[in-house]
C-alpha cells in the first residue's frame, strides 16, 4: 500500500503542493470526517451568502478547513462557499484555495454520503496581485473531492499526471490515505446518468427528452443528490454523466463555479471526460464573482455532447 506522502514523492510534484496536500488538506479532511461522525445536527443562527440557512455542520467543517489552511502559512487567500468574502491569510503564500467544506450537508441526517470539494490556484511570482476574480478554472494547479460515506475516499486531479483515487485507512491510533487506483480514465460513452435538477423538465421539455433517451438506451440511473458521491461514482465505474441545468427559477443553475464546478471539471477533464456549461468548457469560464453559479454537464464525452446539443438555446 502506497500512502499519500510516498505517492506524492513518486509523482515528483513540487514540494509546496506536496506539503499542502499531505500536511494540511489531508489532516483537515480526517478531522472533518470525525466532525461529521460526532455531530448532533441542527441549524446554526447564520445564513451563507446565497441566503441559505447554515447547518451547524456547515459552520464547523468550514472552521476546520479555514483553521488548517490559515495556520499552514502556505495559503495567500481562501474562498469558501460558507463565507461571504475572500479571507486573506499569508500575503506571501504560494496558493489560493477555494472550497465547499461540506457539499450536500442536508443529506447527513439521512446518513447519506456527503463530501468536500476544493480547487487550488498558484499565486505565482507576485502573490500580492492575486485575486480569484478574473481567474479561470483552467488555472487550478490541483483539485479534489473527498467522499465521507461508508468509507472515506479522495479523488485528486494533478494536471499532467491524471486523477488518482485514495482511501482512508484507519488503524488503532493512525489514519492515512493510501493510493488505490489511477490514473483513472472516463470512457466516451456513459453507462450511468445522474440527472440533477429534474424540476427543469417542467419548463425545458428537451431535458426530459434527453433523460427519456438515456432510459430508452438502457443507461442506469445513479443519483444521490450529493454531487460529490455522484461524481465519485463516475470515476469508480469509469463512465457516466452528471447534469445540473438552469431553468426559469434558477437561470444560472444552482452549483457554484469556484467552489464546486471548477474543481470537479478539472477532475473530469484530467480523466479524459468533458465538462461544459452547455456552450463552453466550465474551465474556460471567467470568475466574475466568487459565489457565481453555472449550469454544468460533465462526464463521458458523448453523453455530455448529446445533452449540450439538445439544450443549447
Ligand atoms: P449545497 O452546496 O448547498 O450542499 O448544494 C449542492 C448540492 C449538490 O451536492 C447537489 O448536486 C445539488 O445540491 C442538489 O440540489 P437539489 O436537490 O436542490 O437539486
Ligand atoms: Mg455545495
Amino acid at each position: 500500500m502506497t500512502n499519500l506522502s510516498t505517492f506524492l514523492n513518486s509523482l515528483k510534484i513540487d514540494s509546496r503542493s506536496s506539503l499542502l496536500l499531505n500536511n494540511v488538506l489531508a489532516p483537515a479532511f480526517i478531522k472533518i470526517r470525525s466532525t461529521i461522525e460526532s455531530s448532533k445536527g441542527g441549524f446554526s443562527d447564520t445564513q451563507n451568502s446565497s441566503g441559505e440557512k447554515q447547518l451547524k455542520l456547515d459552520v464547523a467543517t468550514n472552521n476546520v478547513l479555514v483553521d488548517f489552511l490559515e495556520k499552514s502559512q502556505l495559503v495567500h487567500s481562501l474562498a469558501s462557499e460558507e463565507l461571504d468574502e475572500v479571507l486573506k491569510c499569508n500575503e506571501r503564500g504560494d496558493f489560493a484555495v477555494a472550497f465547499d467544506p461540506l457539499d450536500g450537508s442536508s443529506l447527513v441526517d439521512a446518513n447519506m454520503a456527503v463530501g468536500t470539494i476544493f480547487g487550488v490556484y498558484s499565486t505565482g511570482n507576485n502573490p500580492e496581485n492575486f485575486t480569484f476574480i478574473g481567474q479561470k478554472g483552467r488555472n487550478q494547479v490541483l483539485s479534489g473531492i473527498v467522499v465521507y460515506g461508508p468509507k472515506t475516499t479522495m479523488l485528486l486531479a494533478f494536471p499532467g499526471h491524471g486523477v488518482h483515487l485514495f482511501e482512508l485507512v484507519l488503524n488503532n491510533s493512525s489514519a492515512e490515505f493510501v493510493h488505490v487506483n489511477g490514473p483513472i480514465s472516463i470512457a466516451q460513452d456513459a453507462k450511468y446518468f445522474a440527472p440533477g435538477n429534474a424540476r427543469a423538465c417542467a419548463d425545458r421539455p428537451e431535458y426530459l427528452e434527453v433523460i427519456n433517451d438515456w432510459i430508452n438506451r438502457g443507461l442506469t440511473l445513479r443519483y444521490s443528490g450529493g454531487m460529490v458521491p455522484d461524481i465519485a461514482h463516475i470515476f469508480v465505474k469509469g463512465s457516466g454523466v452528471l447534469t445540473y441545468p438552469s431553468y426559469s427559477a434558477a437561470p444560472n443553475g444552482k452549483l457554484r463555479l469556484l467552489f464546486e464546478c471548477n474543481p470537479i471539471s478539472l477532475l473530469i477533464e484530467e480523466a479524459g471526460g468533458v465538462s461544459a456549461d452547455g456552450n463552453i468548457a466550465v474551465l474556460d469560464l471567467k470568475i466574475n464573482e466568487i459565489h457565481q453559479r453555472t449550469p454544468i454537464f460533465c462526464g463521458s464525452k458523448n453523453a455530455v455532447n448529446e445533452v449540450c446539443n439538445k439544450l443549447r438555446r
Side-chain angles (χ1 to χ4, degrees):
M1 280 199 305
T2 308
N3 67 19
L4 179 61
S5 164
T6 309
F7 176 79
L8 294 172
N9 285 339
S10 73
L11 268 198
K12 297 192 171 46
I13 66 164
D14 67 282
S15 60
R16 309 295 277 178
S17 301
S18 187
L19 263 181
L20 180 73
L21 275 171
N22 196 54
N23 294 22
V24 183
L25 289 170
F29 301 146
I30 293 169
K31 179 88 188 278
I32 287 177
R33 173 188 164 276
S34 58
T35 305
I36 296 167
E37 287 192 350
S38 59
S39 71
K40 297 202 169 51
F43 286 98
S44 70
D45 301 325
T46 50
Q47 292 189 341
N48 66 17
S49 62
S50 306
E52 297 157 348
K53 211 153 169 34
Q54 288 173 309
L55 292 167
K56 284 182 186 160
L57 249 187
D58 290 322
V59 176
T61 54
N62 183 63
N63 289 345
V64 171
L65 262 174
V66 169
D67 196 39
F68 274 80
L69 290 169
E70 267 192 319
K71 281 188 183 142
S72 74
Q73 293 295 317
L74 293 168
V75 176
H76 168 274
S77 47
L78 56 87
S80 164
E81 186 174 302
E82 301 304 334
L83 297 175
D84 291 345
E85 308 282 347
V86 171
L87 191 68
K88 293 273 164 56
C89 305
N90 174 7
E91 60 185 14
R92 300 171 63 80
D94 299 287
F95 303 109
V97 184
F99 57 85
D100 182 353
L102 199 61
D103 185 69
S105 52
S106 66
L107 299 170
V108 168
D109 285 349
N111 203 19
M112 293 170 74
V114 290
T116 298
I117 310 172
F118 70 95
V120 180
Y121 299 75
S122 166
T123 52
N125 294 332
N126 299 306
E128 61 281 5
N129 295 337
F130 180 88
T131 59
F132 285 105
I133 305 302
Q135 298 286 331
K136 291 179 177 174
R138 216 167 275 296
N139 300 343
Q140 291 168 112
V141 293
L142 276 174
S143 78
I145 56 177
V146 184
V147 189
Y148 311 103
K151 292 180 181 181
T152 297
T153 54
M154 174 167 74
L155 282 153
L156 297 179
F158 303 97
H161 300 283
V163 176
H164 294 262
L165 176 67
F166 301 81
E167 185 174 311
L168 185 65
V169 176
L170 301 166
N171 287 317
N172 292 340
S173 57
S174 71
E176 64 174 3
F177 283 99
V178 299
H179 184 253
V180 284
N181 194 13
I184 298 176
S185 43
I186 297 174
Q188 297 207 344
D189 288 316
K191 288 191 182 152
Y192 302 89
F193 69 111
N197 201 19
R199 51 181 96 70
C201 294
D203 64 5
R204 302 190 73 182
E206 61 278 19
Y207 187 39
L208 187 57
E209 281 174 31
V210 176
I211 293 173
N212 278 332
D213 185 43
W214 288 338
I215 294 169
N216 291 333
R217 281 162 43 197
L219 274 69
T220 298
L221 173 71
R222 282 290 177 272
Y223 184 69
S224 75
M227 192 185 195
V228 173
D230 288 337
I231 290 291
H233 189 272
I234 295 176
F235 283 93
V236 170
K237 298 297 179 184
S239 89
V241 57
L242 178 138
T243 50
Y244 204 104
S246 60
Y247 74 131
S248 54
N252 297 313
K254 171 183 183 186
L255 301 168
R256 285 78 169 180
L257 178 60
L258 182 58
F259 312 119
E260 293 158 331
C261 298
N262 272 345
I264 282 169
S265 299
L266 184 67
L267 284 161
I268 296 277
E269 282 204 8
E270 274 297 309
V274 173
S275 181
D277 72 345
N279 293 303
I280 68 165
V282 167
L283 293 178
D284 289 325
L285 295 171
K286 200 163 149 196
I287 296 165
N288 298 317
E289 56 129 346
I290 62 167
H291 291 275
Q292 180 175 336
R293 298 172 192 265
T294 179
I296 185 167
F297 307 91
C298 65
S300 292
K301 180 179 170 190
N302 293 340
V304 173
N305 288 341
E306 278 161 27
V307 64
C308 290
N309 288 338
K310 195 86 182 169
L311 295 195
R312 192 162 292 129
R313 298 183 207 253

